[in-house]
Amino acid sequence: MEVRILTKSAEKAGELRHLARERLIRQLRRFRHDVRGVTIRFDDVNGPRGGVDKVATAQVHSSDEALSHVSVSASSYEAALVRLSQKLKRLVMASPKIGDKRYNTRRAAQE
């Protein structure tokens, strides 16, 4: 699974790339054969003034199509990444082409 990180913040870029890759790979490892890649963009809406203005937006690419865009905001990039990874996992699990397939495969094996 390819994880692409886009950010304008040069001082945070390296740290965010490492944290995002580690977190997303851990959250989506069950779906590694179905999820081709994830692209995440980090933005600071109003600059260095502070507040809940760090936005993380992601797009998940499955093996056959892009699933969806997900966006969250938080007071820090790290908090936004945590919330984003949780939303992405729920999105992929709810996807009829990925999540249901995993559930149906498990259910068929039990019968």
Side-chain angles (χ1 to χ4, degrees):
M1 177 175 63
E2 179 186 355
V3 179
R4 292 183 46 210
I5 310 298
L6 308 171
T7 182
K8 293 179 183 177
S9 174
E11 69 269 1
K12 286 282 205 177
E15 181 183 346
L16 283 173
R17 280 190 179 91
H18 175 71
L19 288 173
R21 278 192 175 90
E22 182 180 299
R23 178 109 184 145
L24 288 174
I25 288 171
R26 187 172 55 240
Q27 286 284 338
L28 300 176
R29 70 176 166 243
R30 286 176 45 190
F31 310 106
R32 69 183 171 274
H33 299 293
D34 298 309
V35 175
R36 190 180 54 192
V38 179
T39 302
I40 301 176
R41 174 182 292 280
F42 290 101
D43 290 310
D44 189 351
V45 176
N46 66 355
R49 292 185 290 182
V52 182
D53 67 335
K54 308 298 191 277
V55 176
T57 306
Q59 183 177 19
V60 178
H61 303 278
S62 68
S63 55
D64 59 348
E65 64 181 70
L67 290 176
S68 184
H69 289 276
V70 178
S71 184
V72 298
S73 60
S75 58
S76 70
Y77 289 121
E78 292 80 8
L81 176 62
V82 169
R83 290 181 63 202
L84 184 73
S85 65
Q86 291 167 346
K87 270 184 115 169
L88 284 174
K89 184 176 180 181
R90 286 193 304 269
L91 171 77
V92 171
M93 288 177 67
S95 166
K97 292 189 178 186
I98 297 175
D100 285 349
K101 180 171 68 172
R102 295 284 184 197
Y103 173 74
N104 291 334
T105 303
R106 236 186 0 243
R107 189 171 170 195
Q110 291 175 351
E111 294 175 350

